[in-house]
Amino acid sequence: MEYKYPINGKFGIYGGQFVPEVLMPAVHELEAAYKKVKDDTSFKRELEWYLAYYAGRPTPTYLAKNLTKFAGGAKIYLKREDLLHGGAHKINNTLGQALLAKYMKKGRVIAETGAGQHGVATAMACAALGLHAEVYMGSEDIKRQEINVYRMTLLGAKVHKVDSGSRTLKDAINEALRDWVTNLVNTHYLIGSVVGPHPYPMIVRDFQSVIGKEIKRDMMKIEGRAPDAIVACVGGGSNSMGSFYPFIEDQAVKLVGVEAGGHGNHSGSAALLRGREGVLHGMLSHVLEDSNGQIDDTYSIAAGLDYSAVGPEHSYLMKSGRVRYTIVNDSEAIVAFRKLSLLEGIIPALESSHAIAEAIRMARDMNEKQSIVVTLSGRGDKDVQTIINRGD
Ligand SMILES: *Cc1c(COP(=O)(O)O)cnc(C)c1O
């Protein structure tokens, strides 16, 4: 079967364009512009140049020998997105969309941010490409993420404080959508994950697919074949979608997405496994709601996984059975965070630590001829204070 989603903006029943009438011209314009540049040689060449010389691609696919020995089974490889400029995979998407904005002749870029990572990555890409960036951020998040707010300012971005709702990411997205409606002519809305109305889930997936393409090429070179499994953490779902996408038609490759379980009996931020089908931020997908059908406040020790919904393509891939999804909670992620630091000299982001925990579990039940690639979505320097504060 040839996988060619989205079809008419949908992944099976998921996705779509659940936006107010006034935003329809914007999403249509974006779709048309993306279609035009997607296979345009000069766009592709320019993006490749920025990815290589600015962001630092390609990243290594690294055989973690000590972690492999510790797990005692399949070989564990790390796709080192933590080595990119900015310390995470997010720059793959922000460079792609910022360049797209430039080709659309939009000099102003807006973005939403939760923990501030996507805001910083947007500010970087916009500075590099000479675009003006404005970032919406909940006042709760601004309080918690002072350093990222300051980073964005250093990088020339303007940060808008959002005081509505729970004053976090989901409210920042609503504000950004409002801004976009009123400033369509000169503004591109740069969404940070495979979420939002069509064409965003497709665009972000395509830009992040550079991860999976490199995994494929590297594993052919190193092992002479595709890996037996690919494991990645799922927040909105972009580093995982980018890792999985080039392998979807290769049924021999197990694809595993790891959601954040948080702690205690809270649902964490596992929208796929603990949520319900619903519409949020312009898409039909899986959403975490409370008993009144209101969007639930989520929690994870990994700020980047703390989102109340998930990209619609993941909902489709779960339903079709092509991808297996599982949950890792805070304490398991911390154990993996410490293990990788100690055994490999690599401090992983807490987000990525969720994927590492699952890879260790899986490796034990596989043999040494098999291989797992874990996408190390980011580095953990940003998380060291969190670990210190917990005292465990
Ligand atoms: C933002 C972030 C994530 C979660 O986002 P996805 O869209 O699910 O990839 C994961 N890891 C890191 C390091 C992040 O910064």
Side-chain angles (χ1 to χ4, degrees):
M1 180 206 77
E2 202 200 337
Y3 185 89
K4 49 179 193 299
Y5 291 97
I7 297 167
N8 297 325
K10 286 179 163 184
F11 306 91
I13 64 164
Y14 303 105
Q17 294 177 315
F18 294 84
V19 295
E21 204 63 36
V22 285
L23 263 182
M24 289 308 283
V27 291
H28 285 149
E29 183 193 350
L30 179 60
E31 187 176 3
Y34 178 65
K35 215 179 241 167
K36 214 168 111 191
V37 302
K38 195 176 179 295
D39 302 307
D40 178 75
T41 328
S42 77
F43 179 86
K44 286 203 294 193
R45 217 178 274 154
E46 199 171 348
L47 180 56
E48 271 164 28
W49 187 86
Y50 277 102
L51 287 173
Y53 296 100
Y54 184 72
R57 302 214 72 89
T59 62
T61 306
Y62 176 72
L63 174 59
K65 291 184 186 157
N66 303 328
L67 185 69
T68 296
K69 198 168 159 202
F70 165 78
K75 280 178 258 188
I76 302 175
Y77 286 87
L78 306 173
K79 181 57 175 160
R80 299 285 313 271
E81 296 297 292
D82 61 312
L83 294 175
L84 290 173
H85 179 50
H89 68 289
K90 289 195 166 68
I91 196 80
N92 300 327
N93 171 49
T94 57
L95 280 174
Q97 282 195 57
L99 192 62
L100 176 58
K102 204 166 176 174
Y103 273 67
M104 290 173 80
K105 304 210 167 11
K106 311 230 175 196
R108 180 175 179 266
V109 168
I110 56 170
E112 81 293 339
T113 199
Q117 301 297 112
H118 173 59
V120 171
T122 299
M124 283 173 173
C126 287
L129 286 161
L131 301 165
H132 174 65
E134 296 187 25
V135 181
Y136 286 88
M137 189 170 186
S139 51
E140 236 359 91
D141 289 329
I142 288 183
K143 256 193 274 170
R144 289 187 290 208
Q145 305 287 346
E146 212 183 349
I147 294 188
N148 276 341
V149 176
Y150 194 70
R151 267 190 198 122
M152 286 184 254
T153 327
L154 278 176
L155 296 162
K158 183 170 174 199
V159 180
H160 293 283
K161 187 165 134 188
V162 177
D163 271 319
S164 53
S166 58
R167 305 183 173 91
T168 58
L169 176 60
K170 64 181 166 58
D171 314 292
I173 296 178
N174 290 332
E175 280 312 311
L177 284 167
R178 246 168 243 145
D179 178 316
W180 201 27
V181 172
T182 38
N183 299 294
L184 284 180
V185 180
N186 67 346
T187 301
H188 172 64
Y189 178 18
L190 204 165
I191 291 188
S193 192
V194 286
V195 299
H198 177 72
Y200 282 104
M202 169 181 78
I203 291 177
V204 179
R205 173 198 71 192
D206 290 353
F207 287 143
Q208 290 293 359
S209 289
V210 66
I211 304 173
K213 285 180 202 156
E214 287 180 12
I215 292 175
K216 200 171 215 175
R217 189 198 62 198
D218 289 350
M219 292 304 282
M220 278 315 282
K221 227 186 279 171
I222 304 166
E223 294 280 343
R225 62 186 187 92
D228 295 279
I230 297 175
V231 184
C233 65
V234 180
S238 68
N239 85 85
S240 50
M241 222 31 255
S243 304
F244 297 164
Y245 186 59
F247 293 94
I248 288 183
E249 286 173 43
D250 187 349
Q251 299 288 338
V253 183
K254 289 200 181 82
L255 305 174
V256 181
V258 185
E259 294 196 287
H263 64 73
N265 49 18
H266 199 288
S267 49
S269 44
L272 284 166
L273 292 170
R274 293 177 182 164
R276 281 196 287 241
E277 289 174 358
V279 173
L280 183 68
H281 300 140
M283 59 182 175
L284 172 63
S285 189
H286 281 75
V287 179
L288 285 163
E289 300 170 331
D290 64 18
S291 48
N292 297 317
Q294 293 298 308
I295 297 309
D296 224 346
D297 286 333
T298 53
Y299 164 79
S300 166
I301 191 171
L305 301 183
D306 205 346
Y307 177 53
S308 34
V310 64
E313 193 163 14
H314 284 291
S315 291
Y316 172 74
L317 290 169
M318 178 170 78
K319 198 179 210 174
S320 73
R322 178 60 187 96
V323 177
R324 175 171 73 83
Y325 293 90
T326 185
I327 291 177
V328 162
N329 62 31
D330 283 4
S331 52
E332 295 167 304
I334 293 168
V335 170
F337 175 92
R338 290 187 174 283
K339 266 285 169 266
L340 195 73
S341 303
L342 207 58
L343 291 177
E344 299 289 349
I346 297 168
I347 303 177
L350 279 169
E351 291 83 0
S352 326
S353 301
H354 287 72
I356 294 158
E358 173 61 16
I360 294 171
R361 289 202 291 232
M362 287 173 62
R364 298 203 158 125
D365 298 325
M366 294 163 69
N367 67 53
E368 56 280 4
K369 290 213 174 71
Q370 294 179 295
S371 59
I372 301 175
V373 179
V374 193
T375 300
L376 195 58
S377 53
R379 64 171 184 237
D381 305 54
K382 67 181 179 59
D383 298 314
V384 173
Q385 193 63 51
T386 304
I387 299 293
I388 296 174
N389 293 348
R390 280 179 59 103
D392 62 0

